[in-house]
Amino acid sequence: MAGPQRNNSISVIIPTWQRQAQLTNLLHSLGRQLRVPDEVVVVCRDSDTGSIDAVMEWAQSAQPPLPHKVVTVQREGHLPPLIAALDQCTGDIFCLIDDDAIPREDWLYRLEEDFRDPRVGGIGGTVVNHFQGIHAADCGRPRVEIPGKLSWFGRSGNHGPSVANSNLIEADCFIGCNMAFRKVALLNSFDLVLNGGSAISYETDVALNVKRKGFRLFYDPGSIVDHYLEPRKIDSKRGWNKGECFVYAHNLTYICLKHLSWYGKLGFALYFFVGGSWGCPGPATFLLSFLKGCPLSLREHFIPAMKGRFLGVISYLQNQHRVRKSS
């Protein structure tokens, strides 16, 4: 993809919460990048003094020294820190990474090359998940996550075709642990309707908001971060826990009603409201689980999922005017 040769400045954004050791490891890894960031922005709650101290200690020994700032927020949730970081960062490119991840050495170098084309608004990368202390069978067996593409009826599936003479592949379902956007494309793209819980699927909404502005979105397979996950209660193959099941159902419903065409909404109603998935069952999946001998829980899975779906419709109707105005 051809484009001007002007180099973009890069800000690396690190949301964090009381994980000083992981944060310190990540900060030191940024100094080992082939292309070091122009700015590092660590964003945390104002009560998280441990993270603030960790940044100060790192800054005293960082080699090479990197421009950095700490941004604090008071509001709870996953999205307010990102909005605050976007407001405070100075780079042309907004690179987001989790505090418990470590990027490969060419991470920023590749992203800089990817954004040379001014039509590119966002790049999603590969996430290699390393599970810690979950199951013995998981030891030494990392799971790779890659960005996908939202289908016409709201199902997240395989990414699109590759671009000629490029390493890039069309995609719009990014992974928050490893994604980057052109700052000008990202303005006003965070939707606080999705701020509940861990803001599941907000990445897809952000990417589609950027796409609406006329920018192109891609997956770069070589843009890789290693993600060292702490044990969690979520297992999307067997069923989310009650709270996350609700949040996922609410957010996906809101996002698809917001972005899909009228016929896509009809397809989504059949796919997600009637069918559902093992992680977030609809009536069909719930009944099928009994026939297969692995019944899902009515209280933990089915009821939260259906409640989330219907409240997602209500959220869309309440925000319909704002959504249409922004499109």
Side-chain angles (χ1 to χ4, degrees):
M1 298 175 65
Q5 295 301 307
R6 174 184 175 270
N7 289 335
N8 293 294
S9 56
I10 296 178
S11 295
V12 173
I13 313 302
I14 310 171
T16 189
W17 170 247
Q18 294 184 344
R19 290 197 286 208
Q20 295 94 305
Q22 293 94 326
L23 175 61
T24 299
N25 289 338
L26 170 56
L27 290 169
H28 282 294
S29 76
L30 295 177
R32 298 190 292 270
Q33 288 286 297
L34 298 178
R35 195 281 193 210
V36 296
D38 299 288
E39 176 186 52
V40 177
V41 179
V42 177
V43 56
C44 62
R45 294 285 298 278
D46 54 4
S47 59
D48 188 2
T49 56
S51 294
I52 297 172
D53 291 342
V55 175
M56 297 302 103
E57 292 178 11
W58 160 77
Q60 294 174 2
S61 60
Q63 292 297 329
L66 298 175
H68 64 279
K69 64 180 67 171
V70 176
V71 177
T72 60
V73 295
Q74 293 183 329
R75 183 170 177 177
E76 294 184 359
H78 195 80
L79 298 184
L82 303 184
I83 295 171
L86 179 63
D87 182 61
Q88 294 293 320
C89 76
T90 60
D92 300 311
I93 307 301
F94 182 101
C95 299
L96 185 61
I97 187 170
D98 282 5
D99 60 0
D100 55 354
I102 300 293
R104 303 283 172 92
E105 290 186 354
D106 61 347
W107 180 56
L108 292 180
Y109 174 81
R110 295 184 68 97
L111 289 175
E112 182 176 48
E113 293 299 310
D114 293 340
F115 279 102
R116 288 190 184 277
D117 189 318
R119 297 171 296 175
V120 175
I123 298 290
T126 302
V127 176
V128 181
N129 288 314
H130 302 267
F131 297 94
Q132 302 183 59
I134 301 178
H135 299 295
D138 291 322
C139 296
R141 294 172 54 189
R143 189 180 71 192
V144 177
E145 286 186 276
I146 63 175
K149 197 166 179 64
L150 198 70
S151 72
W152 67 271
F153 60 90
R155 182 177 182 177
S156 176
N158 294 333
H159 48 67
S162 59
V163 179
N165 302 317
S166 172
N167 61 311
L168 303 180
I169 302 170
E170 291 184 2
D172 50 31
C173 295
F174 289 174
I175 305 165
C177 178
N178 180 14
M179 62 182 189
F181 293 94
R182 198 174 298 277
K183 182 180 179 180
V184 66
L186 200 55
L187 297 174
N188 300 315
S189 291
F190 292 109
D191 192 335
L192 287 171
V193 173
L194 304 172
N195 193 45
S198 55
I200 297 172
S201 297
Y202 87 91
E203 305 96 328
T204 298
D205 181 64
V206 169
L208 293 175
N209 287 335
V210 169
K211 197 173 185 177
R212 273 184 172 182
K213 298 174 184 178
F215 291 95
R216 302 184 68 183
L217 305 170
F218 296 100
Y219 161 47
D220 181 350
S223 174
I224 303 172
V225 305
D226 291 286
H227 192 199
Y228 298 93
L229 289 157
E230 295 291 330
R232 302 184 70 189
K233 297 180 180 179
I234 297 173
D235 181 358
S236 59
K237 291 183 179 179
R238 182 62 182 85
W240 303 75
N241 65 45
K242 183 177 180 180
E244 297 290 351
C245 189
F246 168 82
V247 172
Y248 174 73
H250 171 274
N251 287 4
L252 185 60
T253 299
Y254 175 76
I255 290 167
C256 288
L257 293 178
K258 177 179 175 181
H259 292 285
L260 296 182
S261 63
W262 67 267
Y263 57 87
K265 292 180 175 68
L266 292 177
F268 176 73
L270 289 173
Y271 154 64
F272 196 59
F273 275 71
V274 178
S277 63
W278 291 113
C280 191
T285 306
F286 184 65
L287 293 175
L288 183 60
S289 72
F290 285 87
L291 295 176
K292 294 188 67 173
C294 51
L296 294 169
S297 167
L298 178 70
R299 180 176 297 178
E300 293 295 319
H301 301 137
F302 182 68
I303 292 177
M306 296 308 297
K307 183 179 179 181
R309 290 176 171 96
F310 286 112
L311 289 181
V313 173
I314 293 174
S315 292
Y316 171 71
L317 294 175
Q318 290 175 338
N319 292 274
Q320 194 171 21
H321 176 72
R322 178 181 58 82
V323 168
R324 288 178 175 176
K325 186 177 180 180
S326 63
S327 61

